Amino acid sequence: MKRKNVTRVAALTLAGLMAAGSLAGCGESSSQGGSTGGDAKKGKVYYLNFKPEQDAAWQDLAAKYTEETGVQVTVKTAAEGTYEQTLTAEMDKSEAPTLFQVNGPVGLANWKDYCEDLSKSDIYSQLTSQDYGLKDGDAVYGVGYVIETYGIIYNKTLLQKYCDSDFATVKSIDEINSFEKLKTVADEIQANKEALGVDGAFTSAGMEASSDWRFKTHLANLPIYFEYKDEGISSTDAIKGTYLDNYKNIFDLYITDSTCKGSDLANKTGSDAETEFATGKAVFYQNGTWEYGMLTGKDPKSTFEMTDDQLGMLPVYIGVGDEAKQGLCTGCENYWCVNKDASEDDKAATLDFMNWCVTSEVGTTALADDMGFVIPFKAAKEATNVFVKLDNELTANGKTPVSWNFTTMPSENWKNGVGTALTQYAAGTGEWDDVVKAFVDGWKTEYAAANAG
Amino acid sequence: MFGKGAASLPFLVKKERQMIMFKKRARKIYSLIFVLPTLAAFIIGFVYPFFNGIYLSFCKFKTTSNATFVGFDNYIQAFQNEGFLRSFWFTALFVVVSVILINLIAFFVAYVLTLGIRGSNVFRTIFFMPNLVGGIILGYIWQLIFNGILQNFGSNIELDATYGFWGLVILMCWQQAGYMMIIYIAGFQSVPADLYEAARIDGAGKKQVLTSVTLPMMMPSITICTFLTLTNSFKLFDQNLALTNGAPGVVSSSGTMVYQTEMMALNIYKTFYANQNSRGVGQAEGVIFFVLVVVIALAQLYFTRRKEVQQ
């Protein structure tokens, strides 16, 4: 009898707890709204970070902020290439991210309903140029927080070695200022790879997911940039593909003067190319400022030890326009957005945190040194990143930076289609015509699908 | 304990009888309480998402808590999606080939391992082991193996749909055959020895024993195994994602890429994330997929069950 009572009590308690638990779960979401202004001290920050390379640095910075202010900051990072998926899932939770990222106008169209207008915020007023705000009408839904640059990274030591050789027609690195010259250099390096001790002129143009964005997105920016420039537009519902032949020429160069066969590219990864470059097996490597930490070993995950004087970056020449004046590709695809649906306290805390990151000594130092970012804010620290310095130098010398227009690509699906077509073209199982079709016709179809209704 | 109490019921005095009735009722309440956690989990984890999912397939949405009803739009778009239709035929072909191959291999291995040869248990364990490895890992491991071979011929599993198809079949056979083998072994062992003896006395040959004794007696195992392989193959996702990710693709007339080795589940996943308007379409494809799997699985159960015999 006694034992039964115990079980009964236990069972009832358990059932009671469960019911209480589920009720509490339902009640939580009703606490938002109401108060205006919000108390930042009571709020908390949940930042869903886009850049896996900087995860450790963000965790560190968040901890410092919590130590200084007592406000809880959670940083989570989505795995490479899964930001959209992770964000979709996280936004559905009752504890949704208060701070997240979109990559530009197309990304914003996706998440606009969830973005707080930042036009009155402190952080927006801290921008060096209001152009870094992501606007829709009068509202500012995103604030670009990092400016990045990409181009063709080269190994200065090896390229100098080429210039000093008797087979070299180009005798100085400074002479490389057009697609023609670049092709000559690459072809000659490829023909004399044994003499130079390399496996190829270019690192493998890997088409695996960790690397294919270098070609389907970043390289594809160039024909889009020149077409937009011709037409005087900043986005389009149907691309003409005027410069796709030039796109083909540069891609051909990448896959012919390469460390490996075209059919091997389908499975070559980002770290394959990184390793080839950092270990001196290739001279050229298309990538950006964010690679600096890995190549020099400043990133704790890296085992490479390249030095600043070994590294240089060339503009991506594709043989269009005034190439002597062409600069590196510089732009922003990282915009901070604040979740409109977060509680007022959380929103206030988030805005404070963002502002602290770009104005405080600790924040700006971490962004510049630990993450290697150039941030477009008034209080920004000068970055130690050699590629960034180079970009500033080129711009100062009168070169025109190529802007980032890939943020206007219609959808992920479009990028994947072009990527697959490129992979098959590189392997010889597909035709260039398919790349053109996926590029031009696919753009139109995808744009229509993404913007219907 | 309860049975004993009930049997002695007529000899009990009224008060005691009432006590037992009370206990009986209490037992009912207890059982309800104890079933509650599982029931709650089932409702939260299955019933609610299932119906919510069906509702969402009629909506345009970004996050599930923020949906607008659009009627049958998503279903119309789903049926116009070339990739989805292509993935259906690819999946159907894959299912036919893999169900037949997996079951033949598993049946044969089970037969050999019930003959009583030395080391049978070791072999059973080894054959079963691939089943314990996760699909994504398996996919990547086999990708390395296939590419290791194919690169000698200047090719790659992502470049040729034929390689991709057979790659998937080989992978699935390797993974699933061991599990089905265990079920078949149990089936073999449940056939009574006296049936074989009787058949032999009646002068049945080896072939006749197989078709008239073993196979009919094994029908329950065959039902289970075909059901499992059929639904597993139909719903295949991880292995598909890791091994080929749908590649290679063919550009359709509209400029969209139609992936050649993409199975239905993977296509649904990709459609869901294709662009800002495609979540609902992906959801609608998911519902169509569910109906399809249920219909095919029930049909299969009906047909194989009919062949089962009572022991």
Side-chain angles (χ1 to χ4, degrees), chain B residues 14-123:
Chain B
K14 201 181 163 202
K15 209 178 162 194
E16 278 181 320
R17 206 181 294 167
Q18 277 175 337
M19 192 67 204
I20 283 172
M21 289 308 288
F22 171 74
K23 279 185 181 172
K24 222 175 179 177
R25 221 174 295 135
R27 188 165 283 264
K28 256 187 190 160
I29 294 166
Y30 275 152
S31 60
L32 266 181
I33 289 171
F34 281 113
V35 96
L36 207 68
T38 324
L39 186 70
F42 183 69
I43 290 170
I44 296 168
F46 183 81
V47 179
Y48 171 71
F50 180 75
F51 286 103
N52 194 23
I54 291 178
Y55 166 68
L56 283 173
S57 72
F58 294 100
C59 293
K60 187 182 162 177
F61 66 98
K62 186 73 204 171
T63 53
T64 58
S65 42
N66 198 352
T68 21
F69 192 80
V70 292
F72 280 94
D73 267 18
N74 293 331
Y75 285 88
I76 296 167
Q77 283 190 50
F79 281 112
Q80 286 167 347
N81 180 350
E82 284 168 81
F84 185 57
L85 301 180
R86 155 84 210 179
S87 75
F88 169 74
W89 291 111
F90 182 78
T91 309
L93 184 67
F94 173 79
V95 167
V96 171
V97 174
S98 66
V99 165
I100 293 172
L101 277 181
I102 292 171
N103 283 292
L104 281 182
I105 294 169
F107 192 88
F108 176 74
V109 174
Y111 173 72
V112 173
L113 293 183
T114 43
L115 289 179
I117 50 171
R118 273 178 61 136
S120 284
N121 281 333
V122 178
F123 283 119

Side-chain angles (χ1 to χ4, degrees), chain A residues 31-170:
Chain A
S31 64
Q32 34 181 262
S35 70
T36 43
D39 185 355
K41 291 276 167 232
K42 284 189 200 138
K44 48 190 184 314
V45 183
Y46 170 14
Y47 176 31
L48 190 64
N49 171 34
F50 172 80
K51 290 176 158 288
E53 311 93 274
Q54 272 82 27
D55 179 59
W58 274 115
Q59 302 290 358
D60 214 38
L61 189 60
K64 280 182 191 151
Y65 185 70
T66 309
E67 206 176 291
E68 202 178 301
T69 61
V71 174
Q72 188 196 332
V73 180
T74 316
V75 177
K76 277 191 200 162
T77 303
E80 182 123 26
T82 63
Y83 192 76
E84 189 66 13
Q85 282 91 322
T86 313
L87 183 59
T88 307
E90 292 294 307
M91 285 303 256
D92 237 344
K93 296 182 179 168
S94 52
E95 297 276 319
T98 60
L99 178 59
F100 63 96
Q101 284 186 221
V102 299
N103 69 345
V106 173
L108 180 67
N110 241 342
W111 290 103
K112 199 163 66 190
D113 298 345
Y114 297 83
C115 295
E116 178 89 358
D117 180 7
L118 300 173
S119 56
K120 303 241 161 27
S121 65
D122 289 342
I123 185 154
Y124 182 60
S125 65
Q126 288 292 330
L127 281 173
T128 50
S129 156
Q130 309 300 310
D131 291 344
Y132 294 119
L134 190 57
K135 295 180 203 101
D136 188 74
D138 286 336
V140 178
Y141 289 121
V143 172
Y145 73 93
V146 49
I147 304 297
E148 292 168 304
T149 297
Y150 67 88
I152 300 173
I153 301 175
Y154 61 88
N155 184 325
K156 236 181 220 172
T157 321
L158 286 172
L159 197 54
Q160 194 55 52
K161 195 172 162 191
Y162 156 81
C163 289
D164 297 341
S165 315
D166 5 315
F167 53 77
T169 31
V170 177

Side-chain angles (χ1 to χ4, degrees), chain A residues 4 8 84-85 88 92 110-111 114 263 267 411 416-417 420-421 424 427 434 438 441-442 445-446 449-450 452-453, chain B residues 30 33 60 62-66 143 147 154 156 158-159 248-249 251 254-257 259 269 273-277 279:
Chain A
K4 286 228 160 144
R8 187 181 311 174
E84 189 66 13
Q85 282 91 322
T88 307
D92 237 344
N110 241 342
W111 290 103
Y114 297 83
S263 57
N267 288 107
S411 67
N416 292 338
T420 307
Q424 284 159 213
D434 288 340
D441 300 342
T445 314
E446 284 297 325
Chain B
Y30 275 152
I33 289 171
K60 187 182 162 177
K62 186 73 204 171
T63 53
T64 58
S65 42
N66 198 352
Q143 190 192 52
N147 283 340
N156 187 297
E158 291 189 12
L159 294 175
V251 188
S254 65
T256 38
M257 195 56 89
Y259 294 95
Y269 170 78
Y273 288 109
N275 62 51
Q276 69 213 32
N277 285 328
R279 307 261 146 116

Side-chain angles (χ1 to χ4, degrees), chain A residues 212-242:
Chain A
D212 65 348
W213 48 268
R214 294 194 288 139
F215 313 104
K216 70 181 185 192
T217 312
H218 285 183
L219 188 60
N221 181 56
L222 287 129
I224 299 173
Y225 165 77
F226 287 113
E227 186 175 327
Y228 281 7
K229 213 170 143 189
D230 281 0
E231 313 278 325
I233 49 176
S234 60
S235 74
T236 179
D237 54 354
I239 198 112
K240 287 184 187 160
T242 327

